[in-house]
Every structure is written in structure tokens, then in C-alpha cells.
Amino acid sequence: MKRSTLGALTLTSLAGLMVGICGSGPSEAGGKPVSYKLPNETAAFKPGPNLDVVQSNCTACHSVDYVQTQPRGPKFKEDFWRAEVTKMIKVYGAPIGDADAGKIVDYLAQTY
């Protein structure tokens, strides 16, 4: 079996090859820091029980706007919010512990 030429490349020679292809090395690429301005917040969580737990867990992944666009009304209370929090954990991988999940559900059910 014939050995591939690429398999014999070292990291250094591969980096040299990439510089040859791309035309510049990392120091020559004009690597200026990217600067951007985030938009102003358009919403804030309402005051309520366990607000600190909600802020520290939920805003790591999405804005408050996401919560405010959820359905409202008497049938969208604890069961609805429990299902939403469970979805965030199981489907989207939100790193929320059981104790915090319960507090988040309580906050959302009582506040929204």
C-alpha cells in the first residue's frame, strides 16, 4: 500500500503550504480587532421571585424578548413554562440544574 504524501506533512510544513496558498501568514493578514456595537436592550425581565436565577441562566442564550413573545393567558402558566424550561434543557442543552429549573418555572408562571 502506497503512503500518501499528505500523510507525511508535518504541522510546520502544512502551515508553510497554507501561507503559500493564502499569500500571507497570520502576522501579515491585517489581524485588527473587530469592533461592533450591540443594539440597545429593548426589553427587561419584570420584577418577580427568583429574578436573579432567571437572569443568570436564561440570558446566557437568549434575550428577554424571547420570553416576552411567548403565549400568555390563564392556560399558559406553570405547565406551559415547565415544558418550555424542560425543552431548553433537553433540546437546546441549557446547563440548568434541577433546583434552578424549578425557580425559573416559578418566576415565569407568576410573572408572565
Side-chain angles (χ1 to χ4, degrees):
M1 182 177 254
K2 190 173 182 181
R3 184 177 177 155
S4 165
T5 313
L6 185 57
L9 287 176
T10 65
L11 227 19
T12 305
S13 60
L14 184 57
L17 176 63
M18 292 306 295
V19 167
I21 292 170
C22 297
S24 65
S27 62
E28 300 169 18
K32 294 181 182 177
V34 176
S35 177
Y36 56 89
K37 184 178 183 225
L38 293 174
N40 293 330
E41 287 288 332
T42 58
F45 282 115
K46 297 176 183 179
N50 304 308
L51 175 58
D52 58 328
V53 175
V54 171
Q55 288 175 321
S56 65
N57 282 281
C58 302
T59 58
C61 297
H62 59 76
S63 70
V64 179
D65 293 306
Y66 182 80
V67 175
Q68 293 185 341
T69 62
Q70 300 305 306
R72 301 217 178 128
K75 66 180 185 175
F76 298 105
K77 288 299 178 185
E78 187 171 346
D79 289 341
F80 171 78
W81 287 113
R82 186 171 316 286
E84 287 298 302
V85 172
T86 300
K87 176 176 66 176
M88 295 298 148
I89 295 167
K90 294 190 180 212
V91 175
Y92 297 111
I96 300 171
D98 291 340
D100 281 353
K103 291 176 182 179
I104 293 168
V105 170
D106 289 344
Y107 167 83
L108 293 168
Q110 291 180 39
T111 312
Y112 287 93

